[in-house]
Amino acid sequence: MPGESPLQAGRAVSGGHQDSTGGRDATRIAGMRSRVRRLLLLAGTTLVSQFAAVAAHAAAPAPIFPIGTVDVIQLSVLAGVMGAALLLALITIRERARTSAENVQLRARIADVNAALQRTEALLNLRDQRAVVWSADNKKPDLVGALPAESGAPEDRSAFLAFGRWLMPRSAAALEHAVAALREKSVAFDLVIESQTGEPLEVQGRKSAAHVIVRFVSLSEAQRGHARLKLENRRLAAEHGAVFGLLEALRMPVWIRAADGALKWVNRAYAAAVEAASGDAAVSEGKEFLGSQARTTVAETHAARPVFEQTLSTVVGGDRHMFSVTDVAGPDGSAGLACDVSAVEQVRAEYQRTVRSHADTLDQLNTAVAIFDADQKLRFFNQAFQKLWDLDPAFLNSAPDHALVLDRLRTEGKLAEQPEWRRWKEGLLSAYRAVESQEHWWHLPDGKTLRVLANPQPKGGVTWVFENLTEKIDLESRYQTAVRVQGETLDNLAEGVAVFGPDGRLRLSNPAFATLWGLDAETAKPGVHVSAIRNAADRRTLESPWAGFVAAVTGFDEERRDLHGQAELTDGSVLRHATIHLPNGQVMMTFVDVTDSVNVERALKDKNEALLKADQLKNEFVQHVSYELRSPLTNIIGFTELMALPATGPLTGKQGEYLEHIGSSSSVLLTIVNDILDLATVDAGIMQLDISEVEVGRTIAAAAELVADRLEEHRIRLTVEATGAPRSFHGDETRVRQILYNLLSNAANYAPEASTVRLTCRGVAAGVEFAVHDDGPGMAPDVLETVFKRFEPRANGGRRRGAGLGLSIVKSFVELHGGTVRIDTGEGRGTTVICTFPDAPSGLREAAE
C-alpha cells in the first residue's frame, strides 16, 4: 500500500510467501479436478461401451439364465462409479500428502523470514542511526530509527526533513545536492555533515530497484573526532581559497616567501609591478619587487621582531613610487604586502606647503588669529595675536591650555572682570563641543572692543579670530553722526537736492527741491517716477531741462556724464542745476536758487572720488585674492577626489566623512571665488558672451543635474514644464546654465521640505522666458528692494546663508544678453523669479550693478 513503512513492507513479504503457498494449493486442486473430470469422462465412455455390448447381447438369442437390460445397465453404472470413486480417492490421498509436506516447508521458510525481519527492525530502531526511505512509486519519504538528542537532529518528521533548520548551512547545501543526485541520477554518496550543535554525523545514500535510502549514523568518539577533522579541513580549504582569491584580486603587490627567503607565491599585482607574465613566472624567475637594500632592512627587522612596517621606495614602470610595506615572518617563512602611498605622500607634502602658506598669510594679517587643537592646546598664533595680548612668545610657544591663557589674561588685567568668571569661561570653552560658529563681543579694560569668532574645525579644535573693531565702531559712530548731520543739513539747505535710483524712482529729496519746482507732497515723495516729476515741473519752465534729467536717470545716456546747466522758470527764477551719477547707479541732482554752495560741492566731490577709489581697490583686491585662492582650491579638490578613490587605499568611516566635508566645502568656496571673478569681470567691462545656439532642453537638464543633490537632500521634487518652449535660442550656453543653476539653488534654499520647485520655460513675444517658482515664505518688501545687491545675504527662512551673489550674477548675465529679470513674490504664495532672453541678442552691454 502507498505510504507503508519498510517494516510493514517486510511483513507484507512474509504474507506474500503464504499467499504464494495458497496459490500453489489452488493450482494443485484445480489439477486434481481436471484429472477427476478426465476419469469421469473415461468411466462414462466405458459405461457407454458396456451399454452397447449389453444391447447387442439383448438382441442375441436368450441365454439360459434370464437377465434383463435394465439390470445390465445398473450393474454397469455401479461398477463404473465404484471404479472412478476408488481411483479418485487414491489420487486425493496422494496429493494431500504431498501438499502437507510442502506446507511444512513453507511455514519453516516464513518463520526464518520473520526472524530476519525482527532482527532488521531491532537494528534499525537503535538510537544511533536513522534512515529516510523513498519508494519507487511514491515521493513521500518514510523515516525509520532515531538519532541521539545530543546530535541536534529533531525527532519530528517534517523538522528532520528540513535539513537547513538543524544542519550548518554548508552541510545542508551539500546534503541537498547529494540527495538530489542520488534520486535523479542514482549517484551513491558518503558524507560527513555537521549539525548546528556542532555534532558530526555520517550520511550514506544508496539506491535499489525499489527504494532510495539515506542513512544518518551517529559516530563514536573516535569517528566523531575524525569527522570533525574532515569538516575543519573542508572549512579551512574553503577559507584558504577565499583568502588567496582576495589576495589575488588586490591591486597591491602581495608575496609569500619560504623559510630560506625564496618566493613561493605572488599575486597578479606583484607580477604586473615586476613586469612578469604571471605570478608563477615571477616566482620561477625570482623577480623581486623590493630592492636588495630594502630586503636587507626587512630581514634585519625580522631578526628583532616578526612584524615589519615601514614606507619604502621602489621603481615600478620606470617611475619611483613610495610603498607602505608590511611583512610578517613566521617559523616557516614570511608574507607581505605593499600599498602605493605615492599620491598620499604628494597630498601630504602639498598639505604641509598649504599649511605653511596659510600660516605665512595669517602672520601678515592685522587680525589676531589663534588655533587650539581638540585638547584645547595652542597650536598656532600669528604676530597680531601676540601683539594684541602682549604675551611672552616663550609662553605661547609652549602650547599652553586655553583655560590657562584666559586665566593669565585675567591675572594681567587684560580681560574685563566677569561677575561669574568660572561660568563665563565654561561658556566660552563650550565652543570646543559646538558644531556651529560662535560670536562674542569683548570690551577690554583699555577701551578696545573685540569681535571674537570661534570657528570649530572638522577634526576637532577651534580657530579663534579676534577682530579689533574699536576704530570701526568709532568710524561707524562718526559716520552715523555725519549722516544725521547731513540729513539735517540737506533738510535746511536753501539748495534743492533730489536723488533718483537706477529704476528711475525718487529715493530722497529735501524740502527746497519741492519748493523750487513747486511740487506738492504727493509728487515729491520717495518712489515717484522721474517722468511724473517731469510732467509737474515742465509747467514751470520755459525750456525744460527735464528731458536730459530723465535720460540721465533712466540710463538712456549711456555715457553717464555729469551735467551742469541753468534753467529759467516761468516766474523768472533761474536755477543752476547739476546732475551727478553716483557709483551705486543712482543719480543726484542739485538745484541752487541764489548762489552755489562751494563747500557742499567740494564735499560731495571728495566723497565721490573716495568712493570710486575704494571701489577700485576693492575690485583689485577681490580679483587678486580670488585668483590666488583658485589654484590651491583646485589642488585641494583634486587631491581630495584622488584620496577618495579605492586605488589610494581604504579609509575609515570618519576619514571618509572628513574627506567629504573637505570636498564639499572646497567646492562651495571655489564656486564663490568663481562668482566673484565673474562679477569682477563684468564690472571691469571685459566680460564677453560666447553667443551660439542654446538648446533649451539640454541646458535645463544640465542645470537640474547640478542641483539634484541639494534637492534630494531635502526631498524636494523638481518639475520642468517646457512644452511651450522653443527648441533653441541664441545666447551664451554656459552663462544661461549658470543662471538656471543659481535660480534652482536659490529655490532649493527656501523651498520647504518635501515640496516642489517648478521650472517653466516658454516662448514669448520678446524671446524666451524662464521662470523658477518655490513655495517658500516669500520676500518682504524691504528684502525685495535689495535682493539684487551684492554681498547682502539674508536668511529670510532659508536653510543656509550664502555670499549674497546668486541673484546679482543672474541679473548681470541676463542683462548682458539684453534681457530682463523680475520677481513675483508675496506671503503665502512663494517666490517666482522670471528671466526673459531675446531670441537673438543685438549686442553686448554692461550688466547692472
Side-chain angles (χ1 to χ4, degrees):
M1 293 296 290
E4 64 180 358
S5 68
L7 294 180
Q8 294 169 338
R11 295 189 183 96
V13 171
S14 175
H17 286 291
Q18 296 175 355
D19 293 341
S20 63
T21 302
R24 287 194 293 271
D25 291 343
T27 303
R28 284 194 294 272
I29 293 170
M32 292 172 61
R33 288 175 179 173
S34 176
R35 287 192 290 272
V36 169
R37 283 195 296 270
R38 287 197 297 271
L39 289 173
L40 291 174
L41 181 61
L42 179 60
T45 304
T46 302
L47 289 174
V48 172
S49 64
Q50 289 178 355
F51 179 77
V54 170
H57 180 73
I64 299 175
F65 299 98
I67 300 175
T69 303
V70 176
D71 295 332
V72 173
I73 292 173
Q74 292 177 348
L75 288 174
S76 299
V77 171
L78 178 62
V81 171
M82 291 300 291
L86 180 61
L87 182 61
L88 181 61
L90 292 174
I91 294 173
T92 301
I93 292 170
R94 184 179 178 183
E95 290 296 329
R96 181 175 293 176
R98 189 175 61 180
T99 301
S100 297
E102 290 181 357
N103 285 341
V104 171
Q105 293 177 356
L106 289 175
R107 288 191 182 95
R109 290 180 61 187
I110 291 172
D112 293 339
V113 170
N114 285 332
L117 179 61
Q118 291 173 0
R119 289 194 300 271
T120 303
E121 183 176 3
L123 290 174
L124 288 176
N125 285 330
L126 293 177
R127 297 290 296 178
D128 62 349
Q129 59 182 324
R130 197 172 195 182
V132 182
V133 182
W134 287 269
S135 61
D137 57 351
N138 185 15
K139 294 184 178 179
K140 184 177 181 181
D142 294 308
L143 272 68
V144 181
L147 292 171
E150 58 270 14
S151 66
E155 289 290 339
D156 182 68
R157 177 183 181 280
S158 59
F160 182 85
L161 293 177
F163 301 134
R165 294 185 181 178
W166 61 278
L167 292 177
M168 298 298 289
R170 185 177 298 172
S171 297
L175 180 58
E176 292 285 355
H177 290 304
V179 170
L182 175 64
R183 298 184 63 186
E184 296 172 4
K185 302 179 181 179
S186 301
V187 179
F189 65 88
D190 290 279
L191 291 178
V192 176
I193 60 175
E194 183 180 9
S195 67
Q196 293 184 357
T197 60
E199 290 296 324
L201 298 171
E202 185 176 359
V203 185
Q204 301 169 353
R206 299 293 184 270
K207 186 175 183 180
S208 64
H211 296 86
V212 175
I213 302 176
V214 177
R215 188 165 68 108
F216 295 79
V217 181
S218 178
L219 304 178
S220 63
E221 188 62 32
Q223 291 174 328
R224 192 178 294 114
H226 180 67
R228 286 197 182 99
L229 289 177
K230 290 176 66 176
L231 289 172
E232 186 64 24
N233 179 65
R234 188 189 307 165
R235 187 181 300 111
L236 290 176
E239 294 176 355
H240 179 272
V243 170
F244 268 79
L246 173 63
L247 295 178
E248 183 69 19
L250 286 179
R251 296 184 179 180
M252 56 182 68
V254 181
W255 60 89
I256 298 177
R257 298 181 183 276
D260 58 355
L263 290 173
K264 290 178 58 179
W265 178 88
V266 298
N267 66 348
R268 288 198 301 265
Y270 185 104
V274 299
E275 299 179 354
S278 64
D280 294 338
V283 172
S284 61
E285 297 173 9
K287 290 191 174 183
E288 293 290 348
F289 174 73
L290 299 175
S292 58
Q293 184 176 359
R295 296 198 304 275
T296 302
T297 302
V298 174
E300 292 175 352
T301 303
H302 282 331
R305 59 181 184 274
V307 179
F308 171 84
E309 289 182 306
Q310 191 174 330
T311 300
L312 302 175
S313 65
T314 188
V315 177
V316 177
D319 297 326
R320 183 162 293 277
H321 292 255
M322 299 298 295
F323 286 86
S324 176
V325 179
T326 301
D327 197 280
V328 179
D332 298 328
S334 63
L337 59 84
C339 178
D340 192 349
V341 295
S342 303
V344 176
E345 293 296 329
Q346 293 177 1
V347 172
R348 181 181 290 108
E350 182 66 24
Y351 171 74
Q352 292 174 352
R353 287 193 296 268
T354 303
V355 169
R356 287 195 297 270
S357 175
H358 287 179
D360 293 341
T361 302
L362 293 175
D363 218 19
Q364 302 300 320
L365 294 178
N366 292 326
T367 302
V369 178
I371 300 177
F372 291 82
D373 62 13
D375 297 327
Q376 302 183 18
K377 300 292 185 180
L378 180 62
R379 295 304 177 189
F380 172 81
F381 64 92
N382 62 355
Q383 294 182 3
F385 179 82
Q386 191 272 334
K387 182 179 179 181
L388 173 66
W389 301 111
D390 193 22
L391 292 174
D392 184 15
F395 169 73
L396 296 176
N397 290 325
S398 65
D401 185 84
H402 196 172
L404 180 61
V405 174
L406 293 175
D407 291 337
R408 181 159 181 172
L409 292 176
R410 180 194 181 193
T411 303
E412 295 179 1
K414 297 176 181 178
L415 287 179
E417 286 294 335
Q418 303 295 331
E420 297 184 15
W421 169 258
R422 184 180 300 276
R423 180 176 298 179
W424 180 85
K425 184 170 67 173
E426 290 177 354
L428 187 68
L429 298 180
S430 65
Y432 291 94
R433 302 183 298 274
V435 178
E436 301 293 335
S437 300
Q438 296 182 1
E439 183 182 47
H440 306 274
W441 290 86
W442 290 2
H443 301 283
L444 305 184
D446 59 0
K448 295 178 181 177
T449 300
L450 301 182
R451 178 173 174 259
V452 182
L453 294 177
N455 184 27
Q457 299 176 4
K459 294 184 178 181
V462 177
T463 299
W464 295 86
V465 179
F466 303 87
E467 187 177 3
N468 190 351
L469 299 180
T470 307
E471 295 183 2
K472 180 179 179 180
I473 293 175
D474 182 55
L475 289 175
E476 287 182 352
S477 177
R478 294 180 183 179
Y479 174 76
Q480 295 296 336
T481 302
V483 169
R484 289 194 297 270
V485 171
Q486 195 174 65
E488 293 294 331
T489 303
L490 288 175
D491 288 343
N492 292 281
L493 283 177
E495 296 84 356
V497 179
V499 177
F500 293 87
D503 56 356
R505 298 188 179 278
L506 182 65
R507 294 296 175 87
L508 65 89
S509 63
N510 64 350
F513 171 74
T515 302
L516 290 175
W517 289 103
L519 304 176
D520 56 30
E522 288 296 323
T523 307
K525 70 178 182 180
V528 178
H529 198 269
V530 65
S531 58
I533 299 177
R534 173 187 177 181
N535 294 333
D538 280 348
R539 296 192 295 268
R540 293 180 53 84
T541 57
L542 298 177
E543 295 182 1
S544 176
W546 279 95
F549 296 162
V550 172
V553 169
T554 57
F556 288 102
D557 182 7
E558 295 184 358
E559 296 183 3
R560 292 178 58 85
R561 295 175 300 175
D562 292 344
L563 303 176
H564 300 273
Q566 291 183 351
E568 186 175 355
L569 305 184
T570 55
D571 59 359
S573 299
V574 177
L575 299 180
R576 178 180 295 178
H577 60 82
T579 303
I580 301 173
H581 293 271
L582 301 179
N584 57 1
Q586 297 179 345
V587 176
M588 181 182 69
M589 289 179 284
T590 61
F591 304 92
V592 181
D593 188 19
V594 182
T595 59
D596 195 359
S597 178
V598 177
N599 293 333
V600 173
E601 183 180 358
R602 183 182 296 116
L604 292 174
K605 186 179 295 184
D606 293 343
K607 180 179 178 181
N608 186 48
E609 292 176 355
L611 289 174
L612 288 173
K613 186 175 181 180
D615 188 66
Q616 181 180 0
L617 289 174
K618 178 202 71 175
N619 290 337
E620 292 177 356
F621 174 78
V622 167
Q623 276 189 303
H624 178 72
V625 171
S626 299
Y627 279 114
E628 291 297 321
L629 286 176
R630 176 181 281 182
S631 178
L633 278 175
T634 303
N635 292 336
I636 291 172
I637 293 173
F639 284 115
T640 301
E641 294 174 350
L642 184 61
M643 290 179 68
L645 294 176
T648 60
L651 299 175
T652 64
K654 280 293 184 183
Q655 290 173 342
E657 182 180 356
Y658 295 156
L659 204 62
E660 184 179 355
H661 285 316
I662 292 173
S664 60
S665 300
S666 301
S667 299
V668 171
L669 184 56
L670 183 61
T671 301
I672 294 175
V673 170
N674 290 334
D675 290 345
I676 294 174
L677 287 176
D678 287 339
L679 289 174
T681 305
V682 172
D683 291 341
I686 59 176
M687 171 67 74
Q688 296 292 330
L689 296 179
D690 185 12
I691 302 299
S692 63
E693 187 175 5
V694 179
E695 293 186 12
V696 173
R698 184 177 63 187
T699 305
I700 291 176
E705 182 180 0
L706 292 175
V707 80
D709 290 340
R710 288 189 60 184
L711 295 174
E712 183 179 358
E713 178 183 357
H714 302 288
R715 297 179 293 110
I716 299 174
R717 190 166 61 93
L718 175 63
T719 61
V720 178
E721 299 176 4
T723 54
R727 191 185 68 84
S728 63
F729 67 98
H730 287 83
D732 189 333
E733 182 175 355
T734 301
R735 301 306 177 186
V736 173
R737 183 171 62 249
Q738 188 174 357
I739 290 169
L740 295 179
Y741 167 75
N742 285 347
L743 294 178
L744 291 174
S745 297
N746 188 68
N749 189 36
Y750 290 96
E753 292 281 340
S755 63
T756 301
V757 172
R758 293 192 302 274
L759 192 157
T760 305
C761 179
R762 62 187 182 119
V764 295
V768 181
E769 181 182 272
F770 292 89
V772 176
H773 174 79
D774 65 83
D775 297 325
M779 298 183 187
D782 58 332
V783 176
L784 189 60
E785 291 180 359
T786 61
V787 71
F788 292 111
K789 290 186 178 181
R790 303 173 187 173
F791 301 107
E792 287 194 16
R794 295 179 181 270
N796 196 34
R799 294 182 181 84
R800 59 182 69 179
R801 188 182 181 95
L805 299 176
L807 291 179
S808 298
I809 291 177
V810 169
K811 186 173 186 294
S812 297
F813 287 166
V814 170
E815 291 185 352
L816 277 174
H817 283 80
T820 59
V821 181
R822 69 181 189 276
I823 296 178
D824 181 16
T825 184
E827 294 184 2
R829 55 191 181 94
T831 301
T832 303
V833 183
I834 304 168
C835 301
T836 304
F837 295 86
D839 286 328
S842 57
L844 305 179
R845 65 188 184 89
E846 293 181 345
E849 290 189 30

